[in-house]
Structure formats: C-alpha cells, structure tokens
Amino acid sequence: MKKPILSRRALLGMGATGASSLLTGCDALDFLGDRDNEVRNALERANGLTYRVQRLLVGADRLAREYAESDIRQGQRPNGSTRPTTREYMSLMASGFTGYRLAVGGLVEKPGSFSLEELRNMPARTQITRHDCVEGWSTIAKWMGVPLATVLDEVRPTPEARFAVFHCFDNVRSAGGEVLFYGSIDLLDARHPQTILAYDLNGAALPVPNGAPLRLRVERQLGYKMSKFIKSIELVSSFAGIQGGKGGYWEDRGYEWYAGI
C-alpha cells in the first residue's frame, strides 16, 4: 500500500508546485486553470476514480493511526496562511476570541451558532495523529476538539446535504486578487470518528499560526484539506456558485478535491 501513496504524494507535490507557479507568474502549468484542457480533465477523472477506489478499500469507519505522547518530538509546524489580516478576524484575535461564534447553516433543519465555550462544553475527542503535508513533511501532534458529527447532530442536515463547506477568516492573495479561503469534505468524512473541530493543540489553546480559534482535523486526508480559522460551516448538495466551484481554494487552482492517504 505504501508505494501508491508515495507516488500519489509526489503527484500532489507537482500540483502544489504548479499552483505556486501560477501565483508567481510562471505559465508552464497554466493548463490547470483551463477547464477545457484535456490534460486537466484527465486529472479530474483520475481524481474521481481515486475517490471511489479509496472509499471502496478504506470504508467509512477505519481509523487513521494514533500515536503515543512519546512520539511527539517537535511542535506542529504551521504553514499556509498563519495570521489572517481581515478586520473581523483581527478584532476577534484582539479580544482573545471571546466574541467568536461558529455559524452552521445551509441544508440543515435547525441552523445554529455556537460560542467557543459552548463548543468546549460538548463531548470532546483527543487524538495524537500525524499531519502529512502535500509539501512532503509530517508532524505528530495531539489535537483536542469537538467531533464534527456532534455539531451536525445539533443542526440536523437534510437528506439533500452531501458536503460540509468550511468558510474561513483567512484572506489569500492570488493571481485573481484577494479571496477568502474555503474547503470542503463529504459527509462520510464529516461524520468519521476522528474528524474534529480542534480548539487545543498539544495541551494548550490552538495558536493563531495553527488556525485559532477553530480548525478542522480530518485525519485520513492530506493537510491542505484541514481548513484553519473556520468562520462558518455550510451544508450543500454541490459546489456550484461557491467561488471557483471545485470545493476549495486549492481545488479551484488544480489540486485534487479528495486527498485521502
């Protein structure tokens, strides 16, 4: 099983390089932004096949490996956006996130809004897991948070809901201007026992560079799927009409939507 995973990671690394190149003006991989390009379409078809095969092999409930405290040998390396500069986020950060509320809506029977205290008072899960970055590095850390399934039970998704979309506070500059980061997973991963909305890291409140006050941990996928600085969650049946329509900031720029490992 390891060899295909490494090959897949190498391909994803190429994708990361391509996306970065787009942002810095290189046109070698501009086809990733062309929805009519056959190479890009082939990659998207491969993505769909990978998703279906991994779902068949891995199943719904298999857990990612968990580790011992002694396996934590370094701090969790932050990457990507590490300090949002939107006025709303900076105001929340200045107050220690006391005014933060997580809005959960979309295709749900009972839209909700939860403070950090309310989330912390829900049943919690602690897990020591390995974060695998698409850039090729890994870190083991202890995460604590509320299972996303618990929050979903509060708002009761309707039968039409297929995906959970995470709208985030971090503003990202790209070739098309400044946009707000977003990501998504399907409801199967959203209800996985190890999928949590993490508010603690290695026994302390989640630091800003790692996504405070709340970030996603979806342990069976690569790190770029784990949205940081979560502002709200929207349950949807498709990604049509949400930014680039591919289900995430990186996916809109050519990354695979499903990054299972």
Side-chain angles (χ1 to χ4, degrees):
M1 288 297 292
K2 290 184 177 179
K3 186 174 180 180
I5 291 173
L6 290 173
S7 298
R8 173 180 168 75
R9 189 169 299 167
L11 178 61
L12 288 166
M14 290 174 62
T17 303
S20 298
S21 298
L22 288 172
L23 297 181
T24 54
C26 175
D27 60 2
L29 295 174
D30 274 359
F31 68 85
L32 290 173
D34 181 3
R35 294 185 179 181
D36 294 326
N37 185 279
E38 184 54 34
V39 176
R40 172 177 171 147
N41 293 338
L43 289 173
E44 290 187 346
R45 288 194 292 273
N47 181 28
L49 178 61
T50 298
Y51 172 73
R52 290 190 293 274
V53 170
Q54 290 218 359
R55 280 283 181 260
L56 179 64
L57 295 177
V58 174
D61 299 322
R62 197 186 79 174
L63 300 180
R65 180 180 174 183
E66 297 194 16
Y67 296 81
E69 295 266 1
S70 58
D71 293 316
I72 303 173
R73 298 189 176 94
Q74 61 190 62
Q76 176 66 27
R77 174 180 172 181
N79 68 327
S81 178
T82 55
R83 191 181 177 90
T85 57
T86 57
R87 181 174 298 179
E88 183 179 16
Y89 184 83
M90 293 182 72
S91 176
L92 286 169
M93 184 172 61
S95 67
F97 301 106
T98 55
Y100 173 82
R101 297 193 71 87
L102 172 69
V104 187
L107 296 176
V108 300
E109 295 178 1
K110 184 185 173 186
S113 174
F114 308 94
S115 69
L116 271 182
E117 183 179 4
E118 289 171 331
L119 293 169
R120 284 182 174 275
N121 285 334
M122 292 181 182
R125 191 180 202 282
T126 300
Q127 56 203 31
I128 300 175
T129 51
R130 193 179 71 183
H131 179 103
D132 291 309
C133 180
V134 70
E135 297 169 353
W137 53 267
S138 298
T139 307
I140 293 174
K142 181 166 72 174
W143 304 91
M144 181 177 179
V146 55
L148 179 53
T150 300
V151 176
L152 295 180
D153 288 343
E154 291 286 328
V155 299
R156 301 198 294 267
T158 66
E160 294 79 17
R162 295 179 59 202
F163 307 101
V165 177
F166 304 90
H167 299 284
C168 303
F169 286 107
D170 43 334
N171 46 330
V172 187
R173 294 187 185 280
S174 66
E178 189 173 278
V179 297
L180 293 176
F181 190 92
Y182 81 109
S184 66
I185 57 176
D186 65 15
L187 289 194
L188 193 151
D189 266 331
R191 289 195 171 280
H192 186 268
Q194 292 172 314
T195 298
I196 64 175
L197 299 174
Y199 43 69
D200 281 356
L201 169 60
N202 289 334
L206 187 64
V208 167
N210 295 104
L214 205 65
R215 69 167 298 164
L216 176 66
R217 294 297 307 175
V218 51
E219 306 294 356
R220 300 193 303 179
Q221 297 208 39
L222 292 171
Y224 75 84
K225 295 295 296 185
M226 305 190 201
S227 300
K228 304 192 295 185
F229 315 109
I230 296 174
K231 177 179 180 180
S232 63
I233 301 174
E234 180 183 10
L235 279 293
V236 301
S237 60
S238 80
F239 304 129
I242 304 176
Q243 295 202 32
K246 297 296 182 182
Y249 171 82
W250 288 115
E251 291 88 334
D252 287 343
R253 287 153 182 80
Y255 276 44
E256 295 183 78
W257 175 78
Y258 184 69
I261 52 177

